[in-house]
Amino acid sequence: MKRFMLNAAAVAVLVTTIFPVYWMFLTAFKPTRDIQSDTPTFWPTHPTLDHFVTAINAPGFWTYWRNSLLVTVGAVLIALVVALLAAFAVTRMSWRGKGAFVVAVFAAQMAPWEALLVPVFIIARDTQLLDSLAMLTGVYFMITLPFTIVTLRGFLAAIPVELEEAAQVDGCSRLTAFRRVVFPLLAPGLMATSLFGFITAWNEFAFVNVLIIKDQDRRTLPVWLSSFRDVFGTDWGATMAAASLFALPALLLFLFLQRRVGTGMTTGAVKG
């Protein structure tokens, strides 16, 4: 009975979590008459792709899609490189101020990023970087960096340092030992952090509104999605189709990485 109750609770949580996403995709495929019907339908009886065509052909869709992809991928890649170096320095080296650095990283991770909207705007204004994708990429890098350092630090700490020492005894330099021994074992951590960083930067909304003011072609998909309207008001079918297209890259990335994130940390640790 206890196991049955736990399973029932898990199913209830799963359904509650997935249903809004399912309803979004369902509405995207429904004809307009079914969307506006007083009787809801939980399955597309007459599926259509008209709403997706409307969303794709809407002004600015591909421009904002490109902007989102550029700033998100750029911020995640830079954060991975910087965080990997920082995590290695914290876990494998001894230096003065290391404890204070770790505390500062944790504090930055816990701080609400909305509190930095005004300071970041002032910096961007004074440096003439408003309406700049480079500034937006830097802000997303700042947002994702603390979590990436904390996560990679945990993964690196779980890899025995003896593996590197054994490789150095066999003639590898410290860099070569890290590249050939530690880096393959760190792949699950890199994938997990890149997934979180991608979702965080891809969904970010507030900083775009603050930093991109005049040049509307520099905005990203979340802002475009929030202003998706037609002359008759809100086109719910096209809005849900646009939201589905917006969620699709993060969903595909998760499906691609989820099999690899949970792989064993000691894979490849046996010397062949």
Side-chain angles (χ1 to χ4, degrees):
M1 179 59 67
K2 180 179 179 181
R3 184 174 183 179
F4 173 79
M5 295 299 295
L6 290 175
N7 290 337
V11 171
V13 172
L14 179 65
V15 171
T16 304
T17 304
I18 292 181
F19 182 76
V21 181
Y22 170 75
W23 192 258
M24 176 185 71
F25 283 102
L26 176 65
T27 306
F29 286 99
K30 282 183 179 181
T32 302
R33 64 178 181 273
D34 291 345
I35 297 174
Q36 298 176 351
S37 174
D38 294 334
T39 304
T41 57
F42 297 90
W43 188 257
T45 55
H46 303 89
T48 178
L49 297 176
D50 293 343
H51 300 311
F52 288 94
V53 174
T54 301
I56 291 175
N57 293 330
F61 174 79
W62 293 111
T63 300
Y64 294 161
W65 179 282
R66 180 201 63 196
N67 294 342
S68 291
L69 194 62
L70 286 176
V71 298
T72 300
V73 173
V76 170
L77 291 179
I78 298 173
L80 283 177
V81 173
V82 175
L84 182 60
L85 297 175
F88 183 83
V90 169
T91 56
R92 294 293 194 263
M93 299 179 181
S94 298
W95 41 280
R96 181 177 298 178
K98 183 171 70 172
F101 174 78
V102 173
V103 171
V105 171
F106 276 101
Q109 171 63 24
M110 293 183 293
W113 295 113
E114 291 77 8
L116 299 179
L117 283 172
V118 174
V120 168
F121 171 79
I122 294 175
I123 293 174
R125 182 197 62 189
D126 293 345
T127 56
Q128 299 182 354
L129 287 176
L130 290 175
D131 300 310
S132 169
L133 290 181
M135 183 65 185
L136 201 59
T137 302
V139 171
Y140 290 172
F141 159 72
M142 174 189 68
I143 293 175
T144 57
L145 182 61
F147 175 84
T148 308
I149 294 177
V150 171
T151 306
L152 291 182
R153 173 177 173 267
F155 277 96
L156 269 173
I159 300 177
V161 69
E162 289 78 11
L163 295 176
E164 292 178 73
E165 294 174 349
Q168 289 176 336
V169 170
D170 289 343
C172 292
S173 63
R174 189 166 191 175
L175 179 60
T176 304
F178 177 81
R179 180 172 57 86
R180 293 187 176 182
V181 178
V182 177
F183 191 78
L185 300 178
L186 197 59
L190 292 173
M191 292 181 180
T193 52
S194 63
L195 177 61
F196 172 84
F198 184 91
I199 293 175
T200 301
W202 185 260
N203 293 331
E204 206 286 318
F205 178 83
F207 281 101
V208 183
N209 273 329
V210 172
L211 298 178
I212 309 298
I213 302 175
K214 297 180 181 179
D215 193 351
Q216 300 297 316
D217 289 339
R218 300 281 181 168
R219 294 196 164 190
T220 55
L221 274 178
V223 178
W224 173 82
L225 186 60
S226 69
S227 59
F228 194 83
R229 301 287 189 275
D230 61 12
V231 293
F232 302 105
T234 301
D235 184 349
W236 290 112
T239 301
M240 293 299 103
S244 301
L245 293 173
F246 172 73
L248 194 59
L251 179 61
L252 293 178
L253 182 63
F254 172 77
L255 293 177
F256 176 74
L257 296 181
Q258 59 93 16
R259 295 181 180 179
R260 295 165 175 80
V261 170
T263 55
M265 288 296 296
T266 58
T267 302
V270 179
K271 184 177 177 182

